[in-house]
Amino acid sequence: MDVPEPPRKHKSTILRKVLVTAVIGALGFGLTELILQNGESSWMASIFLGSAAFVTQFLVDVERRLDSVEFTYRTEAVNSHQIMRAEFAKINEASGLYERMENGALPIETIVHLIRSTTQIEKSVPGLVYRLAVVEVHRLITFLDEINHNKDTTYEGEDRDWLLALTESSRSSINAISLHTVDVGGRHFLLSDLGRRYISEQAKAIGRGVHIRRIHVLDPQNPDEDTLHEICQRQLDVGIEVRILNPARHDALIDFVLFDQVMSYETTPASQQTGDESPVIVNTRLLLKPERVGKRIEMFNALWEAAVPIRREIAGPTAA
């Protein structure tokens, strides 16, 4: 709806009407007196012309007031229309979001809980808390957008939450390749606090029927059999199938974990300056694109066939 143009502003007063009426009445009286030379007729003509002038002014004033009222009405109508359109747009958007929530894969209770939690953050919270909440919400939005559009998503540095959450969420299989520099060497990841929690979550996954296999890629120059023995023993104890791979005949090996054959969890270590330094994880990536995950599946299956089962003299007997 178009915005109406405002009416012209006019000043209308009783004094002006009286003056205009008096002037026209006087002129009418003078003209009539000159023409007819009849006092009675002159007074009647004067009164008639004055009355006509007053009524005319009144009608003009009424018209102006009607224009003003019409302008006000049309302005309010336009404003009301814009407000209603905006509100209906919000309602339509909310209805559309709710419909997508109902038809989406995520539990609607979880989404509602997330929305309720974000709306409960008050303006009175400290600025640091507010900014932290905004950063975390944006990080979640970015993650969900990348997952939704089937893109790779990257976490700068070493991740903890993804690894444990994926292990907890797996329902069919977990297949992993562990490079010596990342998992067995100076870092001893599987013997760390996170590594212990990781193995504990794997044990729970096996309990619900998840098949777990892991290939350890050794460093021929420093096999570190004592560490390998402890790590493999922990894995064998919880029911993980373990094999050893000599990397001499294999090039471009990478450290990754396949979850349910649909997602690859990969870590990228930084180059070590000295042999005594523990490797640093540059970033952690999640690969979701089917073609890239398919290549990881083919790689794991080929390496699994080439690897050899863990030797009893290294791993020791499996716990009953």
Side-chain angles (χ1 to χ4, degrees), residues 288-309:
L288 293 89
K289 294 183 178 179
E291 60 273 15
R292 303 188 69 177
V293 175
K295 291 180 180 179
R296 298 293 186 266
I297 294 173
E298 293 177 2
M299 180 186 296
F300 179 85
N301 290 336
L303 294 177
W304 182 259
E305 294 299 325
V308 296

Side-chain angles (χ1 to χ4, degrees), residues 88-248:
F88 275 115
K90 292 179 181 179
I91 294 173
N92 291 336
E93 183 179 4
S95 300
L97 288 174
Y98 188 80
E99 183 178 357
R100 286 194 291 272
M101 286 166 54
E102 288 185 324
N103 297 330
L106 294 178
I108 189 171
E109 296 82 4
T110 301
I111 302 176
V112 172
H113 190 187
L114 174 62
I115 296 174
R116 184 180 295 113
S117 297
T118 56
T119 57
Q120 287 177 347
I121 298 177
E122 299 179 355
K123 295 182 179 180
S124 59
V125 300
L128 178 62
V129 176
Y130 168 78
R131 292 189 294 272
L132 175 62
V134 171
V135 169
E136 288 299 309
V137 170
H138 279 296
R139 184 172 64 87
L140 176 60
I141 292 173
T142 301
F143 175 77
L144 292 177
D145 284 342
E146 292 179 346
I147 293 294
N148 185 50
H149 293 88
N150 210 25
K151 298 178 181 178
D152 300 342
T153 181
T154 303
Y155 178 86
E156 298 299 328
E158 184 178 12
D159 159 75
R160 292 178 61 92
D161 297 331
W162 284 351
L163 182 64
L164 298 177
L166 286 169
T167 304
E168 181 181 355
S169 303
S170 296
R171 291 298 179 268
S172 61
S173 64
I174 301 176
N175 297 324
I177 295 179
S178 299
L179 299 184
H180 176 80
T181 55
V182 176
D183 210 76
V184 182
R187 188 171 179 80
H188 306 305
F189 163 71
L190 292 176
L191 300 179
S192 65
D193 175 66
L194 176 58
R196 295 173 189 273
R197 292 184 59 190
Y198 180 37
I199 293 178
S200 176
E201 288 296 332
Q202 287 179 309
K204 296 177 183 178
I206 291 173
R208 59 177 181 268
V210 178
H211 184 205
I212 302 180
R213 298 181 293 174
R214 180 176 290 272
I215 301 173
H216 287 288
V217 181
L218 299 181
D219 182 354
Q221 298 179 354
N222 182 24
D224 194 1
E225 290 195 358
D226 291 338
T227 301
L228 178 62
H229 167 83
E230 183 176 358
I231 292 173
C232 291
Q233 185 63 60
R234 291 177 181 271
Q235 294 175 326
L236 291 171
D237 286 347
V238 299
I240 301 173
E241 295 185 36
V242 180
R243 290 191 178 186
I244 304 298
L245 180 69
N246 189 328

Side-chain angles (χ1 to χ4, degrees), residues 15-34:
L15 180 60
R16 187 196 65 183
K17 291 183 176 67
V18 171
L19 291 176
V20 171
T21 301
V23 170
I24 293 177
L27 290 174
F29 178 83
L31 291 173
T32 307
E33 184 68 20
L34 290 175

